[in-house]
Coordinates of all heavy atoms in Angstrom, one line a residue:
M1 N 88.5 146.9 100.3 CA 89.2 147.6 99.3 C 89.9 146.6 98.3 O 90.4 145.6 98.8 CB 90.3 148.5 100.0 CG 91.1 149.3 99.0 SD 90.1 150.6 98.2 CE 91.2 151.2 97.0
A2 N 89.9 146.9 97.1 CA 90.4 146.0 96.1 C 92.0 146.0 96.1 O 92.6 147.0 96.5 CB 90.0 146.5 94.7
N3 N 92.5 144.9 95.7 CA 94.0 144.8 95.6 C 94.5 144.9 94.2 O 95.7 145.2 94.0 CB 94.4 143.4 96.2 CG 94.2 143.3 97.7 OD1 94.4 144.3 98.4 ND2 93.8 142.2 98.1
I4 N 93.6 144.7 93.2 CA 94.0 144.7 91.8 C 94.0 146.1 91.3 O 93.1 146.9 91.6 CB 93.1 143.8 91.0 CG1 93.1 142.4 91.6 CG2 93.4 143.9 89.6 CD1 92.0 141.5 91.1
K5 N 95.1 146.5 90.6 CA 95.3 147.8 90.1 C 94.2 148.3 89.3 O 93.7 149.4 89.4 CB 96.6 147.9 89.4 CG 97.0 149.3 89.0 CD 98.4 149.3 88.3 CE 98.8 150.7 88.0 NZ 100.1 150.7 87.3
S6 N 93.7 147.5 88.3 CA 92.6 147.9 87.4 C 91.3 148.1 88.2 O 90.5 149.0 87.8 CB 92.5 146.9 86.3 OG 92.1 145.6 86.9
Q7 N 91.1 147.3 89.2 CA 89.9 147.5 90.0 C 89.9 148.7 90.8 O 88.9 149.4 91.0 CB 89.7 146.3 90.9 CG 88.3 146.2 91.6 CD 87.2 146.2 90.6 OE1 87.2 145.6 89.6 NE2 86.1 147.0 90.9
K8 N 91.1 149.1 91.3 CA 91.2 150.4 92.0 C 90.9 151.5 91.1 O 90.2 152.5 91.5 CB 92.7 150.5 92.6 CG 93.0 149.6 93.8 CD 94.4 149.8 94.2 CE 94.7 148.8 95.3 NZ 96.1 149.0 95.8
K9 N 91.4 151.5 89.9 CA 91.1 152.5 88.9 C 89.6 152.6 88.6 O 89.0 153.6 88.5 CB 91.9 152.3 87.7 CG 91.7 153.4 86.6 CD 92.5 153.1 85.4 CE 92.2 154.2 84.3 NZ 93.0 154.0 83.1
R10 N 89.0 151.4 88.5 CA 87.6 151.3 88.2 C 86.8 152.0 89.3 O 85.8 152.6 89.1 CB 87.2 149.9 88.0 CG 85.8 149.7 87.5 CD 85.7 150.1 86.0 NE 84.3 150.4 85.8 CZ 83.8 151.3 85.0 NH1 84.6 152.1 84.3 NH2 82.5 151.4 84.8
I11 N 87.2 151.7 90.5 CA 86.5 152.3 91.7 C 86.6 153.9 91.6 O 85.6 154.6 91.8 CB 87.1 151.8 93.0 CG1 86.7 150.3 93.2 CG2 86.6 152.6 94.2 CD1 87.4 149.6 94.3
R12 N 87.8 154.4 91.3 CA 87.9 155.8 91.2 C 87.1 156.4 90.0 O 86.4 157.4 90.2 CB 89.4 156.2 90.9 CG 90.3 156.0 92.1 CD 91.6 156.7 92.0 NE 92.3 156.4 90.7 CZ 93.2 155.4 90.5 NH1 93.4 154.6 91.5 NH2 93.7 155.3 89.3
T13 N 87.1 155.8 88.9 CA 86.4 156.3 87.7 C 84.9 156.2 87.9 O 84.2 157.1 87.5 CB 86.8 155.6 86.4 OG1 86.6 154.2 86.5 CG2 88.2 155.9 86.1
S14 N 84.4 155.1 88.5 CA 83.0 155.0 88.8 C 82.5 156.0 89.8 O 81.4 156.5 89.7 CB 82.6 153.6 89.2 OG 83.2 153.3 90.4
E15 N 83.3 156.4 90.7 CA 83.0 157.5 91.7 C 82.8 158.8 91.0 O 81.9 159.6 91.3 CB 84.0 157.5 92.8 CG 83.7 158.6 93.8 CD 82.4 158.5 94.6 OE1 81.9 157.4 94.6 OE2 82.0 159.5 95.2
V16 N 83.7 159.1 90.1 CA 83.6 160.4 89.3 C 82.3 160.4 88.5 O 81.6 161.4 88.5 CB 84.9 160.5 88.4 CG1 84.7 161.7 87.4 CG2 86.1 160.7 89.2
A17 N 82.0 159.3 87.8 CA 80.8 159.2 87.0 C 79.6 159.3 87.9 O 78.6 159.9 87.5 CB 80.8 157.8 86.3
R18 N 79.6 158.7 89.1 CA 78.5 158.7 90.0 C 78.1 160.2 90.4 O 77.0 160.6 90.4 CB 78.7 157.9 91.3 CG 77.5 157.8 92.2 CD 77.9 157.2 93.5 NE 78.8 158.0 94.3 CZ 78.4 159.0 95.1 NH1 77.1 159.3 95.1 NH2 79.3 159.7 95.8
V19 N 79.2 160.9 90.7 CA 79.0 162.3 91.1 C 78.5 163.2 90.0 O 77.6 164.0 90.1 CB 80.3 162.9 91.7 CG1 80.2 164.4 91.9 CG2 80.7 162.2 93.0
R20 N 79.0 162.9 88.8 CA 78.6 163.7 87.6 C 77.1 163.3 87.3 O 76.3 164.2 87.0 CB 79.5 163.3 86.4 CG 79.1 164.1 85.1 CD 79.9 163.7 84.0 NE 79.7 162.3 83.6 CZ 80.6 161.4 83.6 NH1 81.9 161.7 83.9 NH2 80.3 160.1 83.3
N21 N 76.8 162.1 87.3 CA 75.4 161.6 87.0 C 74.4 162.2 88.0 O 73.3 162.6 87.6 CB 75.3 160.1 87.0 CG 76.0 159.5 85.8 OD1 76.4 160.2 84.9 ND2 76.3 158.2 85.9
K22 N 74.8 162.2 89.3 CA 73.9 162.8 90.3 C 73.7 164.2 90.1 O 72.5 164.7 90.2 CB 74.6 162.6 91.7 CG 73.8 163.0 92.9 CD 74.5 162.7 94.2 CE 73.7 163.2 95.4 NZ 74.4 163.0 96.6
A23 N 74.7 165.0 89.7 CA 74.5 166.4 89.4 C 73.5 166.6 88.2 O 72.7 167.5 88.2 CB 75.8 167.1 89.1
I24 N 73.7 165.8 87.2 CA 72.9 165.9 86.0 C 71.4 165.6 86.3 O 70.5 166.3 85.9 CB 73.4 165.0 84.8 CG1 74.7 165.6 84.3 CG2 72.4 165.0 83.7 CD1 75.5 164.7 83.4
R25 N 71.2 164.5 87.1 CA 69.8 164.1 87.5 C 69.2 165.2 88.3 O 68.0 165.5 88.1 CB 69.9 162.8 88.3 CG 70.0 161.6 87.4 CD 69.7 160.3 88.2 NE 70.2 159.2 87.5 CZ 71.3 158.5 87.8 NH1 72.0 158.9 88.9 NH2 71.7 157.5 87.1
S26 N 70.0 165.8 89.2 CA 69.4 166.9 90.0 C 69.0 168.1 89.2 O 68.0 168.7 89.4 CB 70.5 167.3 91.0 OG 70.0 168.4 91.8
E27 N 69.8 168.4 88.2 CA 69.5 169.5 87.3 C 68.3 169.2 86.5 O 67.5 170.1 86.3 CB 70.7 169.8 86.3 CG 70.5 170.9 85.4 CD 70.3 172.3 86.0 OE1 70.7 172.4 87.2 OE2 69.8 173.2 85.4
L28 N 68.1 168.0 86.1 CA 66.8 167.6 85.3 C 65.6 167.9 86.2 O 64.6 168.4 85.7 CB 66.9 166.2 84.9 CG 67.9 165.8 83.8 CD1 67.9 164.3 83.6 CD2 67.7 166.6 82.5
K29 N 65.7 167.5 87.5 CA 64.6 167.7 88.4 C 64.3 169.2 88.5 O 63.1 169.6 88.6 CB 64.8 167.1 89.7 CG 64.8 165.6 89.7 CD 65.2 165.0 91.1 CE 65.4 163.5 91.0 NZ 65.9 163.0 92.3
T30 N 65.3 170.0 88.6 CA 65.2 171.4 88.8 C 64.5 172.0 87.6 O 63.6 172.9 87.7 CB 66.5 172.1 89.0 OG1 67.1 171.5 90.2 CG2 66.4 173.6 89.2
L31 N 64.9 171.6 86.4 CA 64.3 172.1 85.2 C 62.8 171.8 85.1 O 62.0 172.6 84.6 CB 65.1 171.6 83.9 CG 66.5 172.1 83.8 CD1 67.2 171.4 82.7 CD2 66.4 173.6 83.4
V32 N 62.5 170.6 85.5 CA 61.0 170.2 85.4 C 60.3 171.1 86.5 O 59.1 171.5 86.2 CB 60.9 168.7 85.7 CG1 59.4 168.3 85.9 CG2 61.5 167.9 84.6
K33 N 60.9 171.3 87.6 CA 60.2 172.2 88.6 C 60.0 173.6 88.0 O 58.9 174.2 88.3 CB 61.1 172.3 89.8 CG 61.0 171.1 90.8 CD 61.9 171.4 92.0 CE 62.0 170.1 92.8 NZ 63.0 170.4 94.0
H34 N 60.9 174.1 87.2 CA 60.7 175.4 86.6 C 59.5 175.4 85.7 O 58.8 176.4 85.6 CB 62.0 175.8 85.8 CG 63.2 176.1 86.7 ND1 64.4 176.4 86.2 CD2 63.3 176.3 88.0 CE1 65.2 176.6 87.2 NE2 64.6 176.6 88.3
V35 N 59.4 174.3 84.9 CA 58.2 174.2 84.0 C 56.9 174.2 84.9 O 56.0 174.9 84.6 CB 58.3 172.9 83.2 CG1 57.0 172.8 82.4 CG2 59.5 173.0 82.2
R36 N 56.9 173.4 85.9 CA 55.7 173.3 86.8 C 55.4 174.7 87.4 O 54.2 175.1 87.4 CB 55.9 172.3 87.9 CG 55.8 170.9 87.5 CD 55.4 170.0 88.6 NE 55.3 168.6 88.1 CZ 56.2 167.7 88.3 NH1 57.2 167.9 89.1 NH2 56.0 166.5 87.8
A37 N 56.4 175.4 87.8 CA 56.2 176.7 88.4 C 55.6 177.7 87.4 O 54.7 178.4 87.7 CB 57.5 177.3 89.0
A38 N 56.1 177.7 86.2 CA 55.6 178.6 85.1 C 54.1 178.2 84.8 O 53.3 179.1 84.6 CB 56.5 178.5 83.9
V39 N 53.8 176.9 84.8 CA 52.4 176.5 84.5 C 51.5 176.9 85.6 O 50.4 177.4 85.3 CB 52.4 174.9 84.2 CG1 51.0 174.4 84.2 CG2 53.1 174.6 83.0
E40 N 51.9 176.7 86.8 CA 51.1 177.1 88.0 C 50.8 178.6 88.0 O 49.8 179.1 88.4 CB 51.7 176.7 89.3 CG 51.6 175.2 89.5 CD 52.3 174.7 90.7 OE1 52.8 175.5 91.5 OE2 52.4 173.5 90.9
A41 N 51.9 179.4 87.5 CA 51.7 180.8 87.5 C 50.9 181.3 86.3 O 50.5 182.4 86.2 CB 53.1 181.5 87.4
G42 N 50.6 180.3 85.3 CA 49.8 180.6 84.2 C 50.6 181.4 83.1 O 50.0 182.0 82.2
N43 N 51.9 181.3 83.1 CA 52.7 182.1 82.2 C 53.1 181.1 81.0 O 54.0 180.3 81.1 CB 54.0 182.6 82.9 CG 54.8 183.6 82.0 OD1 54.7 183.6 80.8 ND2 55.5 184.4 82.7
Q44 N 52.4 181.3 79.9 CA 52.6 180.4 78.7 C 54.0 180.6 78.1 O 54.6 179.5 77.8 CB 51.5 180.8 77.6 CG 51.7 180.0 76.3 CD 50.9 178.7 76.4 OE1 49.9 178.6 77.0 NE2 51.4 177.7 75.7
E45 N 54.5 181.8 77.9 CA 55.8 182.0 77.3 C 56.9 181.4 78.2 O 57.8 180.7 77.6 CB 56.1 183.5 77.1 CG 55.3 184.1 75.9 CD 55.7 185.6 75.8 OE1 56.8 186.0 76.2 OE2 54.9 186.3 75.2
Q46 N 56.8 181.7 79.4 CA 57.9 181.2 80.3 C 57.8 179.6 80.4 O 58.9 179.0 80.4 CB 57.7 181.8 81.7 CG 58.8 181.6 82.6 CD 58.6 182.3 84.0 OE1 57.5 182.8 84.3 NE2 59.7 182.4 84.8
A47 N 56.7 179.1 80.4 CA 56.5 177.6 80.4 C 57.1 177.0 79.2 O 57.8 175.9 79.2 CB 55.1 177.2 80.6
A48 N 56.8 177.6 78.0 CA 57.3 177.0 76.8 C 58.9 177.1 76.7 O 59.5 176.2 76.3 CB 56.7 177.8 75.6
A49 N 59.4 178.2 77.2 CA 60.9 178.4 77.2 C 61.5 177.4 78.2 O 62.5 176.8 77.8 CB 61.2 179.8 77.6
A50 N 60.9 177.2 79.3 CA 61.5 176.3 80.3 C 61.4 174.8 79.8 O 62.3 174.0 80.0 CB 60.7 176.4 81.6
A51 N 60.3 174.5 79.0 CA 60.1 173.2 78.5 C 61.2 172.9 77.4 O 61.8 171.8 77.4 CB 58.7 173.1 77.8
T52 N 61.5 173.9 76.6 CA 62.6 173.8 75.6 C 63.9 173.5 76.3 O 64.6 172.6 75.8 CB 62.7 175.1 74.7 OG1 61.4 175.3 74.2 CG2 63.7 174.9 73.6
R53 N 64.2 174.2 77.3 CA 65.5 174.0 78.1 C 65.5 172.5 78.6 O 66.5 171.9 78.6 CB 65.7 175.0 79.2 CG 66.1 176.3 78.7 CD 66.6 177.2 79.8 NE 65.6 177.4 80.9 CZ 64.7 178.3 80.9 NH1 64.6 179.2 79.9 NH2 63.8 178.4 81.9
T54 N 64.3 172.1 79.1 CA 64.2 170.8 79.7 C 64.4 169.7 78.7 O 65.2 168.7 78.9 CB 62.8 170.6 80.4 OG1 62.7 171.6 81.3 CG2 62.7 169.3 81.1
Y55 N 63.8 169.9 77.5 CA 64.0 168.9 76.4 C 65.5 168.7 76.1 O 66.0 167.6 75.9 CB 63.2 169.3 75.2 CG 61.7 169.4 75.3 CD1 61.0 170.3 74.5 CD2 61.1 168.7 76.3 CE1 59.7 170.4 74.7 CE2 59.7 168.8 76.4 CZ 59.0 169.6 75.6 OH 57.6 169.8 75.7
R56 N 66.1 169.9 75.9 CA 67.5 169.9 75.5 C 68.4 169.1 76.6 O 69.2 168.3 76.2 CB 68.0 171.3 75.4 CG 69.4 171.5 74.9 CD 69.6 172.9 74.5 NE 71.0 173.2 74.4 CZ 71.8 172.9 73.3 NH1 71.2 172.3 72.3 NH2 73.1 173.3 73.3
A57 N 68.1 169.4 77.9 CA 68.9 168.8 78.9 C 68.6 167.3 79.0 O 69.5 166.5 79.2 CB 68.5 169.4 80.3
L58 N 67.4 166.9 78.8 CA 67.0 165.5 78.8 C 67.8 164.7 77.6 O 68.3 163.6 77.8 CB 65.5 165.3 78.6 CG 64.7 165.5 79.9 CD1 63.2 165.7 79.6 CD2 64.9 164.4 80.9
D59 N 67.8 165.3 76.4 CA 68.5 164.7 75.3 C 70.0 164.6 75.6 O 70.6 163.6 75.2 CB 68.2 165.5 74.0 CG 66.8 165.4 73.5 OD1 66.1 164.4 73.9 OD2 66.3 166.3 72.8
K60 N 70.5 165.6 76.2 CA 72.0 165.5 76.6 C 72.2 164.4 77.6 O 73.2 163.7 77.5 CB 72.5 166.9 77.1 CG 72.7 167.9 76.0 CD 73.3 169.2 76.7 CE 73.7 170.2 75.6 NZ 74.4 171.3 76.2
A61 N 71.3 164.3 78.5 CA 71.5 163.3 79.6 C 71.4 161.9 78.9 O 72.2 161.0 79.3 CB 70.4 163.4 80.6
V62 N 70.6 161.7 77.9 CA 70.5 160.4 77.2 C 71.8 160.2 76.5 O 72.4 159.1 76.5 CB 69.3 160.4 76.3 CG1 69.4 159.2 75.3 CG2 68.0 160.4 77.0
A63 N 72.3 161.2 75.8 CA 73.5 161.1 75.0 C 74.7 160.7 75.9 O 75.6 159.9 75.5 CB 73.8 162.4 74.3
K64 N 74.7 161.2 77.1 CA 75.8 160.9 78.1 C 75.6 159.6 78.8 O 76.5 159.2 79.6 CB 76.0 162.0 79.1 CG 76.5 163.3 78.4 CD 76.6 164.4 79.4 CE 77.1 165.7 78.8 NZ 77.2 166.8 79.8
G65 N 74.4 159.0 78.6 CA 74.2 157.7 79.3 C 73.7 157.8 80.7 O 73.8 156.9 81.5
V66 N 73.3 159.0 81.1 CA 72.8 159.2 82.5 C 71.5 158.6 82.7 O 71.2 158.0 83.7 CB 72.8 160.7 82.8 CG1 72.3 160.9 84.2 CG2 74.2 161.3 82.7
I67 N 70.5 158.8 81.7 CA 69.2 158.2 81.8 C 68.9 157.4 80.5 O 69.6 157.7 79.5 CB 68.1 159.2 82.1 CG1 68.0 160.2 81.0 CG2 68.3 159.8 83.5 CD1 66.8 161.2 81.1
H68 N 68.0 156.5 80.6 CA 67.6 155.8 79.4 C 66.7 156.6 78.4 O 66.0 157.5 78.9 CB 66.8 154.5 79.8 CG 66.6 153.5 78.8 ND1 65.6 153.5 77.9 CD2 67.4 152.4 78.4 CE1 65.6 152.5 77.1 NE2 66.7 151.8 77.4
K69 N 66.8 156.3 77.2 CA 66.1 157.1 76.2 C 64.5 157.1 76.4 O 63.9 158.1 76.2 CB 66.4 156.7 74.8 CG 66.0 155.4 74.4 CD 66.4 155.0 72.9 CE 65.9 153.6 72.5 NZ 66.2 153.3 71.2
N70 N 64.0 156.0 76.8 CA 62.6 155.9 77.1 C 62.2 156.7 78.3 O 61.1 157.3 78.4 CB 62.1 154.4 77.3 CG 62.2 153.6 76.0 OD1 62.4 154.2 74.9 ND2 62.0 152.3 76.1
Q71 N 63.1 156.7 79.3 CA 62.8 157.6 80.5 C 62.8 159.0 80.1 O 61.9 159.8 80.5 CB 63.9 157.3 81.5 CG 63.8 158.2 82.7 CD 62.6 157.9 83.6 OE1 61.8 158.7 83.7 NE2 62.6 156.7 84.2
A72 N 63.7 159.4 79.2 CA 63.7 160.8 78.7 C 62.4 161.1 77.9 O 61.8 162.2 78.1 CB 64.9 161.1 77.8
A73 N 62.0 160.2 77.1 CA 60.7 160.3 76.3 C 59.5 160.5 77.2 O 58.7 161.4 77.0 CB 60.5 159.2 75.4
N74 N 59.5 159.7 78.3 CA 58.4 159.8 79.2 C 58.4 161.1 79.9 O 57.3 161.7 80.2 CB 58.4 158.7 80.3 CG 58.1 157.3 79.7 OD1 57.4 157.2 78.6 ND2 58.6 156.3 80.3
R75 N 59.5 161.6 80.3 CA 59.6 162.9 81.0 C 59.3 164.0 80.1 O 58.6 165.0 80.5 CB 61.0 163.1 81.6 CG 61.4 162.2 82.7 CD 62.7 162.5 83.3 NE 63.1 161.5 84.3 CZ 64.1 161.8 85.1 NH1 64.7 162.9 85.2 NH2 64.5 160.8 86.0
K76 N 59.7 164.0 78.8 CA 59.4 165.0 77.9 C 57.8 165.0 77.6 O 57.2 166.1 77.5 CB 60.0 164.7 76.5 CG 61.5 165.1 76.5 CD 62.0 164.8 75.2 CE 63.1 164.8 74.5 NZ 63.5 164.4 73.3
S77 N 57.3 163.9 77.6 CA 55.8 163.8 77.4 C 55.1 164.4 78.5 O 54.1 165.2 78.4 CB 55.4 162.3 77.3 OG 54.0 162.2 77.2
G78 N 55.5 164.2 79.8 CA 54.9 164.8 80.9 C 55.0 166.3 81.0 O 54.1 167.0 81.3
V79 N 56.2 166.8 80.6 CA 56.4 168.2 80.5 C 55.5 168.8 79.5 O 54.9 169.9 79.7 CB 57.9 168.5 80.2 CG1 58.1 170.0 79.8 CG2 58.8 168.2 81.4
Q80 N 55.4 168.2 78.3 CA 54.5 168.7 77.2 C 53.1 168.7 77.7 O 52.4 169.7 77.4 CB 54.7 167.9 76.0 CG 54.1 168.6 74.8 CD 54.7 169.9 74.5 OE1 55.9 170.1 74.4 NE2 53.8 170.9 74.3
K81 N 52.7 167.7 78.4 CA 51.3 167.7 78.9 C 51.0 168.9 79.8 O 50.0 169.5 79.8 CB 51.0 166.4 79.6 CG 50.7 165.3 78.7 CD 50.4 164.0 79.5 CE 50.2 162.8 78.6 NZ 50.0 161.6 79.3
L82 N 52.0 169.2 80.7 CA 51.9 170.3 81.6 C 51.7 171.6 80.8 O 50.9 172.5 81.1 CB 53.1 170.4 82.5 CG 53.3 169.5 83.6 CD1 54.6 169.6 84.3 CD2 52.2 169.8 84.7
V83 N 52.6 171.8 79.8 CA 52.6 173.0 79.0 C 51.3 173.1 78.2 O 50.7 174.2 78.1 CB 53.8 173.1 78.0 CG1 53.7 174.3 77.1 CG2 55.1 173.2 78.8
N84 N 50.8 172.0 77.7 CA 49.5 172.0 76.9 C 48.3 172.3 77.8 O 47.2 172.7 77.3 CB 49.3 170.7 76.2 CG 50.3 170.5 75.0 OD1 50.9 171.5 74.6 ND2 50.5 169.3 74.6
S85 N 48.4 172.1 79.1 CA 47.3 172.3 80.0 C 47.0 173.8 80.2 O 45.9 174.1 80.7 CB 47.6 171.6 81.4 OG 48.6 172.3 82.0
L86 N 47.9 174.6 79.7 CA 47.6 176.1 79.9 C 46.6 176.5 78.8 O 46.6 176.1 77.7 CB 48.9 176.9 79.7 CG 49.8 176.9 80.9 CD1 51.1 177.6 80.6 CD2 49.2 177.6 82.1

């Protein structure tokens, strides 16, 4: 355990950020699963709507610094490929 006051605060704040980032990453995975499920079901409208929600969440995650912008671009590309496969 740290003895320095600023380091103790840094430990607390980084723990808050870690929990928040974990929740956001988990939500991103769930959204991609929704797209995959809609594609497997063959539902074009539902897949497109789920893809739009996924793009928005990925962009927000980049803005908050949870994931890198290139990681988001790669994930968006993969989601779009899934939707286009219908």
Side-chain angles (χ1 to χ4, degrees):
M1 183 65 191
N3 290 323
I4 299 165
K5 187 175 181 181
S6 62
Q7 189 59 37
K8 288 179 182 178
K9 180 178 179 182
R10 188 69 200 146
I11 290 169
R12 286 194 313 269
T13 57
S14 63
E15 177 63 16
V16 170
R18 185 188 70 80
V19 171
R20 183 183 63 239
N21 292 345
K22 185 177 177 184
I24 292 171
R25 283 195 195 102
S26 176
E27 180 63 21
L28 292 175
K29 290 177 188 176
T30 302
L31 290 169
V32 172
K33 282 182 191 175
H34 290 171
V35 174
R36 282 205 179 108
V39 168
E40 287 175 8
N43 192 335
Q44 178 86 33
E45 284 183 22
Q46 194 175 9
T52 303
R53 284 194 304 273
T54 304
Y55 299 152
R56 185 169 163 80
L58 285 165
D59 289 336
K60 281 186 174 185
V62 169
K64 292 178 181 180
V66 177
I67 61 172
H68 192 272
K69 65 180 181 177
N70 289 351
Q71 177 65 248
N74 289 337
R75 291 187 190 195
K76 284 180 182 176
S77 174
V79 166
Q80 191 59 52
K81 282 181 183 176
L82 284 171
V83 173
N84 289 344
S85 69
L86 282 176

